[in-house]
Amino acid sequence: MIKRKLLGQHFLNSKTIAESIVSEAKITKNDVVFEVGTGLGILTPLLCKKAKKVISIDADETLVKKARTEFSDIENLVLKSGDGFKKKDSFSIFVSNLPYSKSKDAVEWLAQRSFSHGVIMVQKEFAEKLVAESKNRKAVSIIATYAFDIEKISNVRKNNFSPPPKVDSVILKITKKNNMDKRLISTINEIFSYRRKTVKNILKQFNKKTVIEKRVDDLSGDEIVNLAKQILK
Ligand SMILES: C[S@@+](CC[C@H](N)C(=O)[O-])C[C@H]1O[C@@H](n2cnc3c(N)ncnc32)[C@H](O)[C@@H]1O
């Protein structure tokens, strides 16, 4: 039970929703799809039908073994065990019903990867955080909106999962816009730990100078990214 919770094991039980996720991913026979969280494999064979190749990873070895047996006849499927957000495989499309505790890690990892687009399912609150404005923004909102165009596809009620999670989910389409590196991402996170300070005082922490008296909350997303770039120069 503890493992289930830690790994966010709420399995989608609606074939219709699984089909709509795969359809939104606009997969062609030229695409390599990377799926994090094979789970019970509701998405995996549908992805394989459309793609040239599917790499599907689960952190739970038991689920990977089960999938290996169940999908042994699918030739374009590579099943792996381990932490999906530590893998270095190349892919063109990302599809994941994300393990919820890993949503922030997923966004930061995806921001560093080159790919075309993805379809992800996240908790409703996390989806709202990603597109939040001014004072409601977090570092992950800045990273996500700089790295991707984000489009909401639909809401998914919690009863479409077994066992049902506490909250509803949202399907998002993300299209890659800008690549970011690890240093830029950690500097944006650091800026947010000083979010009540003025830009002038933040830069002072990094031995840099400016006359700008604005606070982080008054800057646009691009201005925050540029501030992080200035700190890194
Ligand atoms: C929300 S379930 C989704 C499973 C399946 N795709 C579905 O839609 O029913 C998340 C899955 O991700 C797996 N998982 C959790 N953390 C992971 C990680 N870091 N890397 C790979 N898989 C992970 C869990 O074991 C679980 O099977």
Side-chain angles (χ1 to χ4, degrees), residues 16 38 51 53 83 106 113 148 150 161-162 190 198 206 219 225:
T16 315
T38 317
K53 178 177 160 187
D83 185 344
R113 306 306 307 266
F148 321 115
I150 303 171
F161 298 89
S162 311
E190 219 175 337
T198 60
F206 297 93
L219 300 179
V225 174

Side-chain angles (χ1 to χ4, degrees), residues 7-12 35-43 57-60 63 82-85 97-99 102:
L7 294 176
Q9 292 186 342
H10 300 281
F11 303 114
L12 183 65
E35 181 191 20
V36 172
T38 317
L40 300 176
I42 191 165
L43 294 169
I57 323 271
D58 206 289
D60 186 340
L63 293 177
D83 185 344
F85 306 116
N97 173 4
L98 284 174
K102 293 277 177 178

Side-chain angles (χ1 to χ4, degrees), residues 113-160:
R113 306 306 307 266
S114 291
F115 65 104
S116 163
H117 60 274
V119 179
I120 57 174
M121 176 122 68
V122 296
Q123 276 189 345
K124 194 165 159 268
E125 285 70 12
F126 188 78
E128 284 163 2
K129 203 191 278 181
L130 289 187
V131 293
E133 289 181 2
S134 69
K135 287 192 171 54
N136 297 323
R137 295 174 305 178
K138 305 273 187 248
V140 73
S141 333
I142 306 303
I143 294 161
T145 49
Y146 181 74
F148 321 115
D149 278 323
I150 303 171
E151 182 194 346
K152 180 177 165 180
I153 305 295
S154 58
N155 294 319
V156 176
R157 302 295 299 271
K158 55 190 171 201
N159 60 341
N160 289 295

Side-chain angles (χ1 to χ4, degrees), residues 10-178:
H10 300 281
F11 303 114
L12 183 65
N13 58 30
S14 160
K15 192 89 199 272
T16 315
I17 296 172
E19 277 163 357
S20 76
I21 290 174
V22 175
S23 154
E24 285 297 340
K26 306 267 183 283
I27 302 163
T28 74
K29 279 289 168 192
N30 293 321
D31 287 306
V32 175
V33 175
F34 194 80
E35 181 191 20
V36 172
T38 317
L40 300 176
I42 191 165
L43 294 169
T44 318
L46 303 176
L47 297 169
C48 291
K49 273 198 193 125
K50 305 262 179 183
K52 177 166 89 180
K53 178 177 160 187
V54 174
I55 304 164
S56 184
I57 323 271
D58 206 289
D60 186 340
E61 185 71 42
T62 316
L63 293 177
V64 181
K65 277 193 188 137
K66 199 168 174 294
R68 284 212 169 100
T69 311
E70 197 171 333
F71 304 133
S72 60
D73 57 342
I74 305 183
E75 282 175 2
N76 60 343
L77 174 63
V78 178
L79 289 162
K80 294 189 179 185
S81 62
D83 185 344
F85 306 116
K86 296 223 161 85
K87 302 279 182 203
K88 297 257 161 34
D89 303 74
S90 301
F91 58 92
S92 51
I93 298 178
F94 180 78
V95 176
S96 180
N97 173 4
L98 284 174
Y100 294 143
S101 62
K102 293 277 177 178
S103 301
K104 183 172 188 276
D105 291 359
V107 166
E108 294 188 352
W109 179 80
L110 286 165
Q112 296 172 65
R113 306 306 307 266
S114 291
F115 65 104
S116 163
H117 60 274
V119 179
I120 57 174
M121 176 122 68
V122 296
Q123 276 189 345
K124 194 165 159 268
E125 285 70 12
F126 188 78
E128 284 163 2
K129 203 191 278 181
L130 289 187
V131 293
E133 289 181 2
S134 69
K135 287 192 171 54
N136 297 323
R137 295 174 305 178
K138 305 273 187 248
V140 73
S141 333
I142 306 303
I143 294 161
T145 49
Y146 181 74
F148 321 115
D149 278 323
I150 303 171
E151 182 194 346
K152 180 177 165 180
I153 305 295
S154 58
N155 294 319
V156 176
R157 302 295 299 271
K158 55 190 171 201
N159 60 341
N160 289 295
F161 298 89
S162 311
K166 289 206 175 76
V167 294
D168 292 337
S169 294
V170 171
I171 299 172
L172 298 175
K173 178 149 188 194
I174 55 171
T175 304
K176 196 67 194 275
K177 216 164 53 172
N178 292 304

